[in-house]
Amino acid sequence: QVQLVESGGGLVQAGGSLRLSCAASGGPFSSYTLAWFRQAPGQEREFLAAITWNAGIIRYADSVKGRFTISRDNAKNTGYLQMNSLKPEDTAVYFCAAGFGLGSGQMEFHSGYPHRGQGTQVTVSS
C-alpha cells in the first residue's frame, strides 16, 4: 500500500512561487502515474497535472499550464509540483495521488488514483 505525504505548502503573496513535494513509501512508486489535484472550500476537486512513471506523458489543466510544472524523482520516491506566478484563486488544499495503469485519457480523473495524500494548504494573498 503506497502512502503519500505532501509538504511545501504555506502562505505566499500573489506572483510568488512554491514547490510542493509528495513523498511516497510502502510501494513501487516508480511504477505509478503521479497526479496533483486541489480543492478550495465549497468547490469540487480539480485536476492540475499528471506525469507517468517515466515522464513519457505529462498533462496539465489549462488553468495552470505555463505556471505549474510537475516532475518526479523515482530514486527519491518523491514527486514535485513547482508553482510559479501564483494567484489568489490558487488558494486551496493541494493533494497528490498515485495510480497504476492509467491511460492518457484517464489521468485527469481523481477516481482513477487509489493512493492519495492528506493534502497541504496553499494560501495566496493579494
Side-chain angles (χ1 to χ4, degrees), residues 30-81:
S30 61
S31 299
Y32 285 101
T33 293
L34 175 71
W36 287 92
F37 295 82
R38 69 185 178 190
Q39 188 165 19
Q43 297 187 22
E44 293 187 355
R45 192 160 296 190
E46 177 188 9
F47 168 79
L48 300 176
I51 183 171
T52 53
W53 69 276
N54 62 350
I57 299 174
I58 297 176
R59 291 280 185 268
Y60 292 100
D62 288 343
S63 60
V64 303
K65 197 175 295 182
R67 298 191 299 126
F68 291 10
T69 302
I70 189 171
S71 62
R72 65 191 299 160
D73 185 338
N74 288 339
K76 296 182 178 179
N77 286 341
T78 302
Y80 304 97
L81 185 68

Side-chain angles (χ1 to χ4, degrees), residues 5 13 29 36 42 53 60 73 79-80 82 93 104:
V5 179
Q13 288 187 333
F29 173 78
W36 287 92
W53 69 276
Y60 292 100
D73 185 338
Y80 304 97
Q82 176 67 44
V93 177
S104 60

